[in-house]
Amino acid sequence: MIYEREMQQVADKVSITTDDGSRGVKGIVTAALKQEIESNGADLVMTVGPAIMMKFVSETTRPFGVKTMVSLNPIMIDGTGMCGGCRVTVGGQSKFVCVDGPEFDAHQVDFDLLMKRLRTYLPQEKEARERFEAAHACHAIEAVSNG
């Protein structure tokens, strides 16, 4: 887990969850989060990861009134906000992650619009990934087969 030790130095508690239980609590993060809030309360939740996960973390903390911050990572092109590639809606206003963030109040982020924007370039990303994989494929098996 990246930055686990660093987070432990600045946080009262760091909880790890994994789908398969290979590290920390087995299961989805929102189940462990809800249990933690119900058992011990929380002053602040910070979430980083896939937009869908951050959305559901936000929805888990909302009924408890726990301040929740997200760190967003949409496509960023120029780092000045001029291109608009990283535009998100926060509290009903357009924000640019590269200059206004990347951290925002999770309860104010329009996650549905963010996830729609994140899918904009999926066909191009798939094509680029396929070209990369073809160009950098492991040829060892091919060499052994032709051997």
Side-chain angles (χ1 to χ4, degrees), residues 12-90:
D12 294 333
K13 182 170 185 178
V14 175
S15 299
I16 306 286
T17 61
T18 54
D19 291 341
D20 64 1
S22 60
R23 198 65 203 283
V25 176
K26 179 179 181 176
I28 59 173
V29 68
T30 51
L33 175 60
K34 183 176 183 194
Q35 181 180 352
E36 178 66 27
I37 294 171
E38 288 174 341
S39 298
N40 302 311
D43 297 319
L44 171 67
V45 169
M46 306 262 321
T47 182
V48 181
I52 189 73
M53 182 205 73
M54 292 189 292
K55 174 184 178 177
F56 285 102
V57 164
S58 174
E59 293 308 315
T60 300
T61 62
R62 186 185 308 273
F64 296 100
V66 176
K67 181 176 181 175
T68 305
M69 299 297 293
V70 293
S71 185
L72 302 180
N73 60 350
I75 294 172
M76 293 187 223
I77 298 170
D78 67 2
T80 67
M82 297 296 290
C83 72
C86 66
R87 185 176 63 244
V88 294
T89 301
V90 180

Side-chain angles (χ1 to χ4, degrees), residues 1-10 14:
M1 300 289 145
I2 61 170
Y3 295 118
E4 181 180 355
R5 279 180 280 157
E6 292 84 352
M7 287 300 297
Q8 289 170 340
Q9 292 173 1
V10 297
V14 175

